[in-house]
């Protein structure tokens, strides 16, 4: 199982990180180790190598069949379910790495950094994948909201682009990018992720 993630896929988030509405011509892809996956409501433990661990709430797509060099117009056949996930980022470490022109893996792909919620089959959704609302609540207060229509690179384009370089397999996951509103988590925070009004994610921070 592979975990792909997309960087800078919402313009306002890019501005939030100082990128002044930066839009890459092609999707920005990075990967997370399989040990990054955190499921079933298990607690997230803030690692000791960061002083600012931030949540990034994202729509997560589940691949359902083998594919390579997939055309965008057929990409919808290669995923069968979506959910809300958290791409945890050691932000202070990321800033140091970016300043040095180094890869992001250790600030993005560490153990437990890819939290994933309960998947909802595509056939159960009333809206198309580019018209889904999702949000994150922390301790009962809305912390981040997103609408997939705001993606710079839509889901089918992401599936197609990734498949040019990696063979997609059943069970692979794609974290499709985060909207504006990222922020730090703290010990004892309680996080809940919602997709179209349905709570699909819930866990505690330790």
């Amino acid at each position: 199982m592979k975990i792909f993630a997309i960087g800078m896929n919402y313009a306002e988030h890019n501005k939030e990180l100082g990128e002044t509405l930066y839009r890459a011509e092609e999707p920005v892809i990075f990967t997370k180790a399989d040990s990054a996956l955190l499921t079933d409501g298990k607690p997230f433990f803030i690692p000791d190598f960061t002083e600012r661990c931030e949540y990034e709430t994202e729509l997560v797509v589940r691949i359902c069949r083998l594919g390579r060099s997939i055309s965008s117009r057929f990409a919808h056949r290669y995923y069968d379910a979506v959910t809300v996930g958290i791409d945890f980022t050691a932000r202070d470490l990321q800033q140091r790495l970016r300043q040095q022109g180094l890869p992001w893996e250790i600030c993005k792909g560490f153990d437990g950094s890819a939290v994933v919620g309960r998947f909802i089959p595509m056939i159960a959704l009333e809206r198309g994948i580019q018209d889904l609302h999702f949000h994150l609540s922390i301790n009962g207060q809305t912390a981040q909201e997103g609408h997939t229509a705001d993606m710079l690179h839509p889901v089918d384009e992401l599936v197609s682009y990734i498949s040019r370089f990696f063979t997609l397999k059943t069970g692979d996951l794609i974290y499709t990018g985060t909207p504006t509103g990222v922020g730090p988590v703290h010990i004892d925070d309680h996080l809940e992720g919602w997709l179209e009004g349905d709570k699909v994610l819930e866990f505690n921070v330790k």
Side-chain angles (χ1 to χ4, degrees), residues 28-85:
V28 176
I29 309 294
F30 61 96
T31 60
K32 289 174 174 273
D34 57 3
S35 59
L37 194 63
L38 189 66
T39 62
D40 302 322
K42 296 174 183 175
F44 170 73
F45 290 87
I46 298 175
D48 60 8
F49 52 77
T50 178
E51 295 182 0
R52 188 176 179 87
C53 189
E54 294 192 348
Y55 60 83
E56 296 187 8
T57 313
E58 311 194 10
L59 184 83
V60 181
V61 175
R62 185 178 69 191
I63 299 300
C64 64
R65 60 190 294 190
L66 185 73
R68 178 162 172 76
S69 298
I70 302 164
S71 169
S72 292
R73 63 176 177 157
F74 298 125
H76 65 279
R77 302 178 181 178
Y78 288 83
Y79 54 87
D80 65 347
V82 294
T83 189
V84 171

Side-chain angles (χ1 to χ4, degrees), residues 141-189:
Q141 301 294 319
T142 299
Q144 191 176 19
E145 297 178 277
H147 184 206
T148 58
D150 296 328
M151 288 181 180
L152 298 174
H153 300 283
V155 171
D156 288 356
E157 179 186 337
L158 298 177
V159 171
S160 176
Y161 184 80
I162 292 171
S163 74
R164 290 175 56 192
F165 307 96
F166 304 93
T167 298
L168 292 175
K169 297 183 178 181
T170 300
D172 287 350
L173 303 178
I174 302 176
Y175 282 66
T176 58
T178 191
T180 189
V182 302
V185 291
H186 306 92
I187 292 174
D188 294 330
D189 279 348

Side-chain angles (χ1 to χ4, degrees), residues 93-112:
L93 181 55
Q94 183 188 41
Q95 290 172 346
R96 292 199 300 271
L97 293 169
R98 291 179 70 181
Q99 289 170 357
Q100 299 172 47
L102 297 174
W104 292 1
E105 273 77 7
I106 61 174
C107 71
K108 283 281 195 178
F110 57 86
D111 288 356

